[in-house]
Amino acid sequence: MYGTVTRYDKNRGFGFIYAQDGNTYFIHHSKLYGEEIDRGYFVYFKPFRNDRSDFNAKGVNVIEVPEKSKHYRKKR
């Protein structure tokens, strides 16, 4: 399934992906398998269920990384 990372907190190790089916999926750093993600990334993932939620993501692969806006660039 495809989706866009809406939030990811690297310090806390979790975030959320808004998917093409209209649901928001929880992602934990242990399910990234080495991928680096951040807000705005377009990703492919495998949805799965566990005892806490029906909407979880694993096996995340980054498809597209958005360009950084001018706000994030350092001034020289």
Side-chain angles (χ1 to χ4, degrees):
M1 185 172 305
Y2 294 95
T4 302
V5 178
T6 57
R7 178 176 169 219
Y8 188 73
D9 187 327
K10 291 179 184 177
N11 294 326
R12 297 176 80 187
F14 71 90
F16 300 93
I17 299 170
Y18 181 73
Q20 65 189 34
D21 66 356
N23 291 308
T24 299
Y25 290 80
F26 175 81
I27 181 65
H28 190 265
H29 73 91
S30 66
K31 302 295 184 195
L32 289 175
Y33 307 121
E35 284 281 2
E36 292 281 330
I37 64 170
D38 206 349
R39 194 179 99 197
Y41 284 28
F42 185 66
V43 297
Y44 175 80
F45 67 96
K46 296 177 184 175
F48 74 98
R49 295 179 186 181
N50 65 17
D51 59 339
R52 297 182 78 185
S53 173
D54 289 342
F55 302 106
N56 297 284
K58 67 179 179 180
V60 176
N61 291 308
V62 175
I63 304 297
E64 184 177 350
V65 176
E67 289 186 35
K68 298 229 179 208
S69 71
K70 293 178 183 177
H71 296 283
Y72 296 110
R73 293 186 182 156
K74 291 183 178 180
K75 293 181 181 180
R76 293 181 183 180

